[in-house]
Amino acid sequence: MYPWDVLGIEPTDDRKAIKKAYAQLIRQHRPDEDPEGFERINEGYNYALAISEKENRKECSDDGTVASLCEFEYETQVKQSDVSTNTEKMFVATINGNNDQPFERYVGEDELLAEQILSQLHEVAFSSIHIRYDKNNWRFIEKVNDILDFELKDHLNLEIFKRVAEYNHSNRKKIPLQMIKYIGEVLDWRDKWSFFSTHLSKEYVELNYWFFEGNMERDCTKYSPTVTERVAAWFLDMMIFSAICLVLSVWMQFELNAAIIFIGFNIYKLVFTTFTKKRVTVGTYLMKYNFLNQEFERLRNEEVLKSHLTREAVLLPFYLFSFISHPYIVLLVPIHIVVMLVFPVFKKNRLLHDLLSKQYAVKIT
Amino acid sequence: MIIGIDLGTTNSVCGHFLNGEVSIVPNGFGESLTPSCISFEKDGTIHVGKSALTRAAQYPNETVAHFKRYMGTEKTYKIHKKTYTPVELSSLVLQKLVGDAEKHTGQTVTEAVISVPAYFNGIQRKATLQAAEMAGLKVEKLINEPTAAAVAYGLQNKPEYTDFMVVDLGGGTFDVSVMEYFDDILEVKASGGDNHLGGEDFLQVLVTLFCDKAGLNINKLKPAVIQNIKSRLELFKKEINQSPDIAPFMDEVKQTITITAKEFEKASGPLMKKIIKAIELCLKDAQLSPHDIEEVILVGGSSRLPFMRTLVTRIFKKMPRTDIDPDLTIAHGATIQAALKSRNKDLEDVVLTDVCPYTLGTGVVGHSVYDDSLLFSPIIERNTVVPASRVQSYVTAQDNQTKLKMEIYQGESRLVKNNIKLGEFELPVPKGRAGEQSVDLRISYDINGILEVDAEVNSTGEKAYLLINNSPQELSPEQIESSKKKLSTLKIHPRESEAVKEIYWRAEAIYENSLDEERDAINHLISQFDQILASQDPKRIAQAVEEMNEALAAFDANRWI
């Protein structure tokens, strides 16, 4: 049974036995003389070590929670290193795998510093806009690199990563984009993505890396129409749209018009976005941003914000109009919601198709 | 006789085994360190070692150093219309070391054990062996530098299954390696570092500090003046803990400059961060935490910096081993290995050290809501032992896809656009629903750094193959012969008059940087020295050389204290 047949020993979780067998074998299969043999043995060896590691860990955690295991590990570490400074008991929230329940730990100087950094992060992230946009107020992040306990540093980095994503998701006051970039640079996020991916869910990683690495332009904004083009497109939009409304109002009651106009406009844009290749009109241009996580979009750049405002301005008369003919306001809301919910799913696929022009692969997980 | 050689980036050392003990061979100057520096005179005479380094101040265009960084690449140096490869230059240094050893012991050197960095790949190792061959040395085996350091400290006599770390901060390079010892095998588990970080960078920090305090604009200074400041601060670096004051030693600066050890440490912060990061990364690659490491060995001249030691102690919560002179540790180890070898008791230094220096992988669709960029999907992780071969399955991303584009990247970034693209190919797939068609992509990486990529569509058996070979061609025996011939036309400056030459250059350098009244004194000294040389009496010359050395040293001291 692999890998034990390669190593020529019985299945075991004794690391010493595995290493002994390996040491014997590679004397006969040196990498420069027998690369294939060496590769086979080395791979079997690493596999065997991984198995034994897993077994050992299972044994340890059989009778306790993950948290207790960690505490145990930490205590032995403290004992070994003879660090006796400041061993008061404190509550430090750490992340441990996917189980991010806080547990008790003995803390030393580094832990106190970590705690301070986290509370400062919270404080600055929820402060007023002037404070948030001042880089000097974020300099405390650099202290993370003063922590020489690498395990704690990793935990802290993970916690900061997680909090940045959460604050920006739920908080009305966002951490500014350039500050996220700054935090990411100080904490080496660029090289740590596989570490974050193994400890946090995909959403966190995608969101934060999008903030951190995403440059301002992306596929949708690659084509930015000139002002003339925009005006022309808008004019065209309005002409077609008015025509539709006119046709509809001929055989519909006037009171229905307000709702019809609203629905018609949205359906028109939806259809247009779907069937035209690339971004042709202002309408479609705006639509791209309308339905997908407006909050994030707004953060991204000025242009998006502008287009967002334009959209509001365009829609405003229709909203007002439907207020005048009040019975139909009831209709307006559910339709808007339906469009908002259905479209993102649709859009996601479409964008991928656009970009990838049917070429790339997806990794099997 | 068999010797051990540490062929370093900035300094090289050579040792031999005498009466059961390692004895480091002194060079023509009676020093153990021979700078890996070569200077070419117009008439074809070359100088290797300290005299070349002294000459570098006046003739920077005729002097080469740090060529070890380019071993195994196609870089060449052009001096006086002749080109030299790093291999040829290294062989000149080896010749010089062997010459010194033969002179010192009176025996012929036939064989050597040479140390190479753990991260050297097959090509770079071969290049080192070729350099030895050109120098007429028989080298059967190379030893990894961290292994040599471990041997020097006798770690092979420790209880088995020990993990330890070797931190090597040399003049121009910084290497860290995590190693494990078991069953007479020293295995390099992971290695990392920075090819452009070393004592010179710390010196540069001091120079910047000094110029700031003295009100000098570093960009406007003449190279000779900078050289003068550097050589003064090099001394200062060693005694910064004893006295933080630098008395005036040049025309431009009249006041005493004070640089405290604290200030130096603070200014070195960014460099220390790099060091911490490299250590952290190396531990992570070896999947160990600092408390798993049982022993830390500090190697390399710059590991004498007090805050470097403090840092290592703080990270590992134990004192690092530094009892052997850190400059000579590797040469010590290489010599022990040479001695063991001559008795056939050499340690199995298994060549696990060939690790893949970068992560290799391909680009995949991320299906992210926020970002449409292609994501990097690693196949062979960094620091994987090579030869290695890994396979990963990929499926089509959308319905009715007709082809798959496979791009091979190297790097550590999440988005492929931030990594380096090595190559690409396309593979036709039958139409189907998204995820229906799968492709197995295999990447194989061998010890010579050659990359093979195979892909196979599972349903049709359609195959594609890509070979990526970025390593230069190996040298043929004829090429080695012609290199040998080229090198033999060079006249290596006779060892006997090496010291005389060096004195002239030093005197010249001191003269240029001296104050007026001192210049007369130096002129006087030199003319006296000339007279003695003219007498051609070897005994008198030897005595004069010694006296001149003392006198010049006194000049240096006078200027500086």
Side-chain angles (χ1 to χ4, degrees), chain A residues 19-20 27 30 38-39 43 153-154 193 209-210 213 218 352-353 355-356 359-362, chain B residues 180 183 280 284 348 352 365 367 370 372 387 389-390 395 398 401 404-405 407 412 414-415:
Chain A
K19 285 186 175 176
K20 217 169 197 114
R27 289 218 174 86
R30 301 185 59 88
F38 171 76
E39 190 185 323
E43 236 140 75
K153 193 164 145 190
D154 277 347
W193 60 279
Y209 273 94
W210 180 57
E213 305 193 302
R218 83 171 193 198
L352 282 172
H353 283 240
L355 173 75
L356 304 167
Q359 281 187 3
Y360 290 94
V362 185
Chain B
E180 187 180 7
D183 275 309
E280 193 182 349
K284 219 166 259 172
E348 284 284 316
L352 285 190
V365 173
H367 275 318
Y370 311 108
D372 305 323
S389 172
R390 296 270 189 286
V395 295
Q398 52 187 281
Q401 196 165 342
L404 269 171
K405 193 173 177 183
E407 295 171 335
E412 316 303 327
R414 197 179 74 102
L415 303 179

Side-chain angles (χ1 to χ4, degrees), chain A residues 15-17 19-24 26-27 30-36 38-39 42-43 45-46 53 73 76-77 80-83 110 142 145-151 153-154 169 188 190-195 197 202-203 205-207 209-210 213-215 217-220 292-293 296 300 347-349 351-353 355-365, chain B residues 141 160-161 163 180 182-185 187 189 273 276-277 279-281 283-284 287 289-292 310-311 314-317 348-352 363-378 381 384-390 392-407 409 412-415 417-418 426 438 442 445 447:
Chain A
R15 297 170 74 83
K16 284 189 182 176
K19 285 186 175 176
K20 217 169 197 114
Y22 170 67
Q24 298 265 314
I26 49 169
R27 289 218 174 86
R30 301 185 59 88
D32 37 350
E33 288 151 15
D34 177 14
E36 284 87 27
F38 171 76
E39 190 185 323
N42 185 262
E43 236 140 75
Y45 166 65
N46 282 324
E53 178 105 326
E73 271 177 7
T76 51
Q77 187 185 337
Q80 276 174 354
S81 53
D82 294 325
V83 182
D110 279 349
E142 283 170 24
N145 287 328
D146 293 343
I147 295 177
L148 287 180
D149 180 343
F150 294 147
E151 246 167 281
K153 193 164 145 190
D154 277 347
H169 193 76
D188 279 325
R190 204 176 294 283
D191 298 340
K192 291 205 163 74
W193 60 279
S194 52
F195 168 66
S197 316
K202 197 175 150 221
E203 285 73 25
V205 179
E206 276 177 4
L207 180 63
Y209 273 94
W210 180 57
E213 305 193 302
N215 35 20
E217 43 131 19
R218 83 171 193 198
D219 196 45
C220 306
L292 183 75
N293 279 312
F296 296 132
R300 273 191 56 232
K347 184 211 170 231
K348 191 169 136 189
N349 291 331
L351 261 186
L352 282 172
H353 283 240
L355 173 75
L356 304 167
S357 59
K358 302 199 166 187
Q359 281 187 3
Y360 290 94
V362 185
K363 187 179 162 189
I364 296 179
T365 43
Chain B
K141 237 190 252 169
E160 301 218 318
Y161 310 105
D163 287 310
E180 187 180 7
F182 58 92
D183 275 309
D184 285 341
I185 286 183
E187 184 191 62
K189 280 189 152 182
K273 289 241 162 76
I276 296 173
K277 201 181 152 190
I279 293 177
E280 193 182 349
L281 212 63
L283 280 172
K284 219 166 259 172
Q287 294 171 356
S289 66
H291 58 89
D292 292 328
T310 324
L311 176 81
R314 275 182 64 202
I315 292 176
F316 294 98
K317 312 239 165 69
E348 284 284 316
D349 168 24
V350 75
V351 200
L352 285 190
V364 292
V365 173
H367 275 318
S368 159
V369 190
Y370 311 108
D371 196 332
D372 305 323
S373 307
L374 283 187
L375 298 184
F376 183 52
S377 160
E381 299 276 352
T384 302
V385 174
V386 295
S389 172
R390 296 270 189 286
Q392 178 85 50
S393 289
Y394 295 94
V395 295
T396 48
Q398 52 187 281
D399 297 345
N400 296 328
Q401 196 165 342
T402 53
K403 60 182 177 186
L404 269 171
K405 193 173 177 183
M406 292 290 177
E407 295 171 335
Y409 289 90
E412 316 303 327
S413 232
R414 197 179 74 102
L415 303 179
K417 64 183 174 201
N418 298 332
E426 277 179 12
S438 68
R442 175 180 288 277
Y445 192 92
I447 51 174

Side-chain angles (χ1 to χ4, degrees), chain A residues 105-283:
Chain A
R105 278 171 66 150
Y106 288 99
V107 288
E109 257 172 80
D110 279 349
E111 277 79 359
L112 276 175
L113 181 59
E115 179 78 342
Q116 270 169 20
I117 290 169
L118 284 181
S119 61
Q120 212 164 342
L121 177 73
H122 187 275
E123 200 179 302
V124 178
F126 285 88
S127 57
S128 75
I129 188 157
H130 310 289
I131 295 174
R132 269 180 293 137
Y133 272 83
D134 187 353
K135 200 170 173 183
N136 290 325
N137 293 323
W138 293 93
R139 298 233 181 257
F140 66 89
I141 288 290
E142 283 170 24
K143 282 190 201 146
V144 173
N145 287 328
D146 293 343
I147 295 177
L148 287 180
D149 180 343
F150 294 147
E151 246 167 281
L152 177 73
K153 193 164 145 190
D154 277 347
H155 277 314
L156 183 61
N157 202 343
L158 197 62
E159 181 69 37
I160 292 174
F161 188 85
K162 189 171 159 249
R163 287 195 183 189
V164 165
E166 281 169 357
Y167 289 168
N168 258 353
H169 193 76
S170 58
N171 185 9
R172 284 299 295 177
K173 297 173 173 174
K174 309 286 184 202
I175 302 177
L177 195 61
Q178 54 268 46
M179 296 310 149
I180 298 182
K181 279 183 193 276
Y182 167 72
I183 295 173
E185 258 149 47
V186 172
L187 300 182
D188 279 325
W189 283 0
R190 204 176 294 283
D191 298 340
K192 291 205 163 74
W193 60 279
S194 52
F195 168 66
F196 291 134
S197 316
T198 48
H199 288 86
L200 292 171
S201 72
K202 197 175 150 221
E203 285 73 25
Y204 283 101
V205 179
E206 276 177 4
L207 180 63
N208 267 7
Y209 273 94
W210 180 57
F211 284 134
F212 172 57
E213 305 193 302
N215 35 20
M216 290 305 175
E217 43 131 19
R218 83 171 193 198
D219 196 45
C220 306
T221 49
K222 262 181 205 155
Y223 178 79
S224 39
T226 62
V227 178
T228 355
E229 268 181 308
R230 280 180 192 222
V231 171
W234 181 79
F235 187 71
L236 194 73
D237 264 11
M238 292 312 285
M239 290 295 282
I240 299 167
F241 167 65
S242 320
I244 295 170
C245 294
L246 208 69
V247 172
L248 286 173
S249 62
V250 171
W251 44 274
M252 290 261 180
Q253 285 180 344
F254 179 76
E255 282 88 354
L256 266 177
N257 268 4
I260 293 293
I261 285 168
F262 177 77
I263 299 161
F265 187 64
N266 273 315
I267 289 176
Y268 155 71
K269 284 205 285 189
L270 189 82
V271 170
F272 214 89
T273 327
T274 317
F275 293 107
T276 48
K277 287 283 168 199
K278 300 295 168 188
R279 296 126 294 265
V280 181
T281 69
V282 179

